[in-house]
Amino acid sequence: MLCILMILTIASFTGAVSTERSVEKRATAYQLVSTEVDWYNAKAACETQNSKLAEIRSQADLDAAIQATTGYSRPFWIGVIDPQEDNTFEYATGGALTFSNWMSNAPFVYNQVSSVVMYPGSGEWENVGTYYTFGYLCVSDTGPGVSGDPHMTTFDGRPFSFQGICWYTLFKDCSSSNPDFEVTAEFEPREDSSIQQVRTRTVSVNVTVGGDFVIINRLDVVAGRADEHMTEARPIHVHKDDKTITLTFTSKDTTFTLHWTLKKHSLRVSIDGSDYRGHLCGLLGDDDGNSRNDFLTPDGDVVYDATEFGRSWEVEGKKCD
Ligand SMILES: *[C@@H]1O[C@H](CO)[C@@H](O)[C@H](O)[C@H]1NC(C)=O
């Protein structure tokens, strides 16, 4: 069921646009990792990135997974296992299979726990011992945003983890040097952080649209104008209940919705509209439908290292530790 929810969520980011875009989005929610590890390590590795081992629950999931692994030549792990050794396969997060794509004669009978690899191209499944090592396919578990310590998922579905202690640009309009809007967030160390292992989380968010800003600091909301002389109505709408704050603003044809849940230190972002497609920049990427170019620095370089990428979006002029 989780996966169906995810599809709905992703479909809602795209709003009233063609289904083509949602298919594209769905493919980019999958991340193939070519490092070969056993099934349990593959599952754990996906989970450290706010994602999970791909659970193929429908033909649409299969098509998206095939699309996301085009060009790879080896089988890769997916989130399907036979924990009881009785050829009753389940999803890694529990529950009976709702879909399968076994190769002929599979699943094979083993006297041990086996789990499933999928072949690129055909998308066929085969079960093998969990101790074999293969690359693996993760799927982003949530929509775009930042949560936990802090795990991010870009608009194009790329999950990564970045432990900075400062203010960073989550996303802004990058179509001109005078952005229509900018959303920045402050990350602070968690209580369980140590010198050896810094773990941080989001504590404040600053949404600036034109001359207006709204700053959320934990559960406090402060709104104001940077430019006192402008008198237009505030374009940033704030809705607050006891646990979450929802913030909405519209620029050109696009409505951005931010859901802030303090308890989870989670900020989820959804986009409805197309004028800023491919014209965003910051930690959540450019929203062009391609997750491979998401680590773009303010200087326009695509980098591979999440830490280098994260640091490049530190807000200038903020005092940080
Ligand atoms: C909020 O962000 C805007 C634009 O990035 C910046 O100009 C402003 O100084 C920030 N405000 C605070 C209090 O950090």
Side-chain angles (χ1 to χ4, degrees):
M1 280 306 106
L2 225 153
C3 201
I4 291 166
L5 282 177
M6 196 189 79
I7 297 162
L8 291 177
T9 319
I10 287 171
S12 74
F13 301 142
T14 62
V17 291
S18 67
T19 46
E20 211 176 283
R21 185 173 172 197
S22 16
V23 169
E24 192 183 346
K25 279 269 178 189
R26 299 205 38 225
T28 55
Y30 289 97
Q31 287 295 319
L32 180 71
V33 180
S34 57
T35 310
E36 303 205 335
V37 295
D38 68 32
W39 187 85
Y40 292 100
N41 277 312
K43 180 174 181 283
C46 291
E47 284 163 6
T48 63
Q49 301 244 305
N50 213 25
S51 65
K52 61 180 183 181
L53 214 44
E55 297 182 351
I56 312 291
R57 291 169 183 265
S58 63
Q59 184 66 44
D61 283 355
L62 185 74
D63 293 344
I66 291 172
Q67 195 186 327
T69 54
T70 306
Y72 194 61
S73 57
R74 303 254 302 136
F76 48 85
W77 291 121
I78 60 171
V80 178
I81 186 166
D82 171 19
Q84 260 76 260
E85 309 169 27
D86 59 359
N87 269 28
T88 311
F89 285 81
E90 297 176 6
Y91 290 112
T93 55
L97 297 191
T98 55
F99 176 88
S100 63
N101 194 39
W102 297 112
M103 63 168 55
S104 56
N105 301 327
F108 302 104
V109 178
Y110 285 98
N111 293 319
Q112 59 185 331
V113 177
S114 67
S115 45
V116 175
V117 288
M118 180 169 135
Y119 284 78
S122 69
E124 285 184 332
W125 296 9
E126 178 183 5
N127 59 319
V128 295
T130 55
Y131 53 83
Y132 281 95
T133 59
F134 289 102
Y136 49 97
L137 187 66
C138 303
V139 67
S140 163
D141 212 4
T142 52
V146 50
S147 67
D149 63 344
H151 294 304
M152 329 249 176
T153 304
T154 66
F155 294 119
D156 294 323
R158 179 165 179 166
F160 68 100
S161 193
F162 168 60
Q163 309 289 346
I165 307 176
C166 199
W167 281 84
Y168 299 89
T169 299
L170 289 184
F171 65 96
K172 67 174 181 176
D173 162 30
C174 240
S175 59
S176 80
S177 55
N178 188 14
D180 295 340
F181 53 82
E182 174 161 14
V183 176
T184 58
E186 183 184 23
F187 303 154
E188 275 185 8
R190 290 173 15 161
E191 291 85 0
D192 60 357
S193 226
S194 64
I195 307 256
Q196 292 78 20
Q197 205 197 7
V198 178
R199 303 183 72 181
T200 64
R201 62 189 186 183
T202 312
V203 288
S204 310
V205 181
N206 169 354
V207 179
T208 301
V209 184
D212 295 306
F213 64 84
V214 171
I215 294 178
I216 304 172
N217 185 353
R218 293 173 175 81
L219 279 180
D220 295 331
V221 180
V222 179
R225 294 193 70 91
D227 180 347
E228 299 291 343
H229 303 290
M230 293 169 75
T231 51
E232 312 155 43
R234 269 190 197 119
I236 310 169
H237 301 278
V238 181
H239 176 83
K240 193 175 168 183
D241 64 32
D242 7 318
K243 294 189 192 84
T244 63
I245 297 172
T246 305
L247 232 144
T248 315
F249 66 91
T250 300
S251 189
K252 294 185 183 161
D253 79 341
T254 305
T255 299
F256 295 86
T257 306
L258 286 74
H259 291 283
W260 167 242
T261 311
L262 175 65
K263 199 163 166 248
K264 295 181 182 161
H265 293 268
S266 148
L267 184 76
R268 305 255 69 94
V269 185
S270 62
I271 303 180
D272 189 350
S274 58
D275 281 349
Y276 292 100
R277 273 211 80 187
H279 298 301
L280 298 176
C281 58
L283 291 181
L284 301 185
D286 65 355
D287 191 35
D288 70 345
N290 173 10
S291 60
R292 295 196 183 90
N293 62 6
D294 279 354
F295 284 6
L296 189 69
T297 69
D299 298 333
D301 299 323
V302 174
V303 295
Y304 294 94
D305 181 58
T307 304
E308 182 184 356
F309 170 61
R311 287 192 180 141
S312 77
W313 285 103
E314 190 173 306
V315 174
E316 276 175 39
K318 283 278 183 191
K319 205 177 158 289
C320 309
D321 298 334

